[in-house]
Amino acid sequence: MAQKSRFFIIPGTFDLTGFTDSLKGLTPAFETSATARPFDLLDCHDQSLRSEGRLLVEVDGAMRLLQADGEVLVQACTGKGKFVQDLPDGPVKTAVKGFPKLRALMSIGSGLIETGTFAVLDDLQKTQVRGSVVTLSTDEGQATLLTVKPMRGYDRAYHAVCAALGNMAASGFETVFDSLFPGATPYNAKPDVALGTQEPSIEVAADIIRTYLAVARQNEAGVIADIDTEFLHDYRVSLRRVRSVLSLFKGVFSPEQTEVLKREFSDLMAPTGRVRDLDVYLLEKDIYFNLIPPNLHQGAEAMFAQFDKERTRALAALIRRLRSAAFGKKMDELAALFADAKGLKHGPNADRGAYSYACALIWKRYRKVCKLARGITPETPDEIVHDLRIDCKKLRYLMEFFGPLFDKGDFKTLIKPLKKLQDNLGLFNDYSVQQEALLDFVATQSNAQGRANAQLAMSVGGLIAVLDQRQKAERDRVIANFQHFDSPDIQNLFRTLFYHKED
């Protein structure tokens, strides 16, 4: 049976002397490129490729995708700052088609790359094994990637080379990241927060807030650089989680400190709202155009041109805020405040054990969701449906915060129908908000005259009509999907996990 090529990852500096000594009678000869060239290691902020065990390197105007088995795909184009779907067709684009559509490729590290080949010779200088070598280096470390290719009739030499490299190698591209960028941890928008069942609730709150403050700060540079819209989205979600702790963990902080913190985090969120709204509209531009007939596209084009201009202005103001000394000082002060629970002012529930407190909070919120949802009908005012959306979000946050205290399987069973219900409620809310925003937009344009404005008004009218129909359909789905969430099995599991008579 023919031998297959083998791939090895050597962390740190490649020990050529040790490799040579281990071959016993065989001599390796390496031939590398004359000069090292700069490279960028590409991924998105979430490092999706890294999590899949793949490595994307941009060098000399081309992208090289290294697969886990050592296969290298090459495409002659640059990727930094681009979305995968916008790349020209080619093998790399095809291979990463599952890459997040809202995430742009960005440099998560850079260094120098050397490429070359090697041969392993016998005493008569006859080649018995061939291979290729890639060496990546940064100021902090180095990693060498070798592919060993067998030659017919020299199986013994091939096995000797593979055995020698196997003793030096480590598995997986995670080794490359650790070697080149030691200490750099992957970004995680929802990091695990370790909790103890008897941990005082104020310490739980401080742990969660501290964790999500750090997540928010990890997104600031991406917002400022405007790499992709997900940086602002994650920034806002992180701060929203912090605010939810302040509102849901009742009696953990003193009333006075709770009000101060709510106000401070509200002030941090406020400048981000309009930019995020405009991001959503612009991201859904193609969807909007598909909702209306072509003869209304001219007005829609005018509307989106206005949205784009407004986003530029709003983002510039937000960037000035994020770069300001006052903003940096405030974030540093909040990080210091939640570094531990010592500087926090205790409320009556501050010392309550995490488990009993979690059960009480989740059970109470669950009952509120069910009571509200069971009254939803096709005639229920939109405001009540919006209240249900907010209560479902609060229930989901509570369950995610306290998840480490409970069985993962049980939580997955509960979260799945809740998430489905939330998706319906989110769309219902989006359609409602978008209709209001479109009406407001037309009102601001009403003082202008001319054909473009008439086209715009007709386009917006057409969009509002379609969105209204979609909102009504989503309300029906809310009612239907709540039935799944309200099934006897789900009811019994909630009761088993969270109901205690003293609550």
Side-chain angles (χ1 to χ4, degrees), residues 74-129:
V74 181
Q75 184 171 337
C77 68
T78 58
K80 186 166 62 174
K82 298 178 181 177
F83 295 91
V84 165
Q85 60 267 29
D86 296 332
L87 296 174
D89 291 338
V92 173
K93 179 180 180 179
T94 300
V96 297
K97 61 182 178 181
F99 197 81
K101 293 187 180 300
L102 298 181
R103 281 294 192 188
L105 289 166
M106 56 182 284
S107 176
I108 61 170
S110 58
L112 296 175
I113 183 172
E114 293 180 89
T115 58
T117 60
F118 70 91
V120 178
L121 314 175
D122 62 14
D123 292 341
L124 299 176
Q125 298 299 294
K126 187 173 182 62
T127 300
Q128 298 197 358
V129 178

Side-chain angles (χ1 to χ4, degrees), residues 16-17 19-30 118-130 157 160-161:
L16 179 57
T17 300
F19 177 51
T20 302
D21 291 345
S22 64
L23 292 180
K24 297 179 181 179
L26 298 173
T27 304
F30 285 80
F118 70 91
V120 178
L121 314 175
D122 62 14
D123 292 341
L124 299 176
Q125 298 299 294
K126 187 173 182 62
T127 300
Q128 298 197 358
V129 178
R130 293 188 183 277
V161 170

Side-chain angles (χ1 to χ4, degrees), residues 199-276:
E199 182 178 355
S201 293
I202 195 165
E203 292 184 10
V204 172
D207 290 343
I208 296 170
I209 291 175
R210 178 173 62 252
T211 298
Y212 282 101
L213 264 177
V215 173
R217 302 231 66 180
Q218 286 179 277
N219 285 282
E220 289 171 14
V223 174
I224 291 170
D226 198 20
I227 294 171
D228 62 47
T229 58
E230 290 297 276
F231 283 93
L232 181 59
H233 173 260
D234 282 8
Y235 177 83
R236 285 172 51 81
V237 169
S238 300
L239 292 185
R240 191 180 299 130
R241 288 177 182 275
V242 170
R243 294 176 67 187
S244 70
V245 172
L246 297 173
S247 64
L248 293 173
F249 284 44
K250 297 184 184 301
V252 169
F253 305 109
S254 71
E256 298 79 14
Q257 188 169 50
T258 298
E259 288 307 309
V260 170
L261 290 172
K262 281 184 176 180
R263 186 165 56 251
E264 289 181 338
F265 281 103
S266 177
D267 291 344
L268 290 174
M269 285 280 284
T272 68
R274 187 54 182 166
V275 180
R276 180 57 190 169

Side-chain angles (χ1 to χ4, degrees), residues 5-16:
S5 295
R6 293 277 305 277
F7 179 60
F8 299 92
I9 300 172
I10 313 298
T13 303
F14 181 64
D15 182 7
L16 179 57

